Amino acid sequence: MFVGNAGIGCARASSIGVVNSSGTRFVELGWYEEEQNVTPCPGSFGPPRILVAKYVNGTFTCDLQNSITDTPRNDDFKVSDPDQDGDWNYYRNSDGLGFYGLGSFTSGQPVVNGERKSDHADPTMYANFRGLDRMGASQDWSEWSGTHTYGDSDPDFSGCLRSPIHIEMPEQCS
């Protein structure tokens, strides 16, 4: 995942995650920065911070994590429950970031996310995911297939599907 850093007048995030079929639980991992305090996460006025989060039945929780320095850069992010015990493990560049115990939530639909929140025109939204993998039931990793994008109401900021394992959210697709 590409990790950017720029003077921003908005809040933005780039993340991967897994969502259960009813949408009531998800795990999320990536990075965020904000200058508007629009999330329940600790403020990130400066370098991007690592985002380690969960959503359970209407409650979003995130842990305070370190800033990401030496940006722009590409980092590896992984969130998985390899032994299907409901404990979701979070990793960045093979370094463990902790886990959330989520009980019966052990698998779901993998997702990537690029988002921003701004009350003014701001062309700094950008997310780039290359090499997306999904863990199978036998704890083996394989490339995602059947990847698709969901657009939002702003046609200038919708995702670009470059291949089944390369999704990009630039200012505009070309």
Side-chain angles (χ1 to χ4, degrees):
M1 180 187 313
F2 178 78
V3 180
N5 184 24
I8 59 170
C10 63
R12 64 184 182 162
S14 184
S15 62
I16 60 171
V18 179
V19 180
N20 70 349
S21 60
S22 61
T24 59
R25 293 182 181 217
F26 67 78
V27 292
E28 183 176 11
L29 172 66
W31 64 272
Y32 73 103
E33 60 183 329
E34 60 183 359
E35 292 185 4
Q36 294 183 344
N37 270 340
V38 297
T39 71
C41 301
S44 150
F45 305 99
R49 281 192 185 261
I50 300 168
L51 174 66
V52 172
K54 68 176 178 177
Y55 177 84
V56 178
N57 302 328
T59 302
F60 182 83
T61 305
C62 56
D63 285 343
L64 177 62
Q65 295 286 331
N66 295 329
S67 295
I68 300 174
T69 57
D70 301 322
T71 55
R73 59 186 286 162
N74 290 302
D75 279 3
D76 292 326
F77 291 91
K78 177 173 78 171
V79 59
S80 63
D81 180 9
D83 54 8
Q84 303 271 286
D85 65 355
D87 289 342
W88 288 86
N89 299 290
Y90 293 74
Y91 297 90
R92 174 180 164 242
N93 296 332
S94 300
D95 295 326
L97 302 173
F99 74 94
Y100 283 122
L102 296 178
S104 63
F105 175 38
T106 59
S107 67
Q109 175 66 40
V111 295
V112 296
N113 177 50
E115 65 182 301
R116 72 184 178 107
K117 177 164 178 61
S118 177
D119 57 6
H120 63 283
D122 185 350
T124 61
M125 187 285 205
Y126 189 91
N128 196 359
F129 305 89
R130 286 187 161 282
L132 299 168
D133 293 326
R134 178 181 183 159
M135 178 182 286
S138 60
Q139 288 74 47
D140 57 325
W141 291 94
S142 60
E143 289 184 349
W144 288 11
S145 60
T147 305
H148 59 278
T149 63
Y150 292 104
D152 63 19
S153 60
D154 185 343
D156 292 334
F157 292 94
S158 58
C160 308
L161 184 59
R162 305 294 188 205
S163 78
I165 61 167
H166 182 190
I167 300 171
E168 186 177 5
M169 275 73 77
E171 181 180 355
Q172 293 185 334
C173 292
S174 58

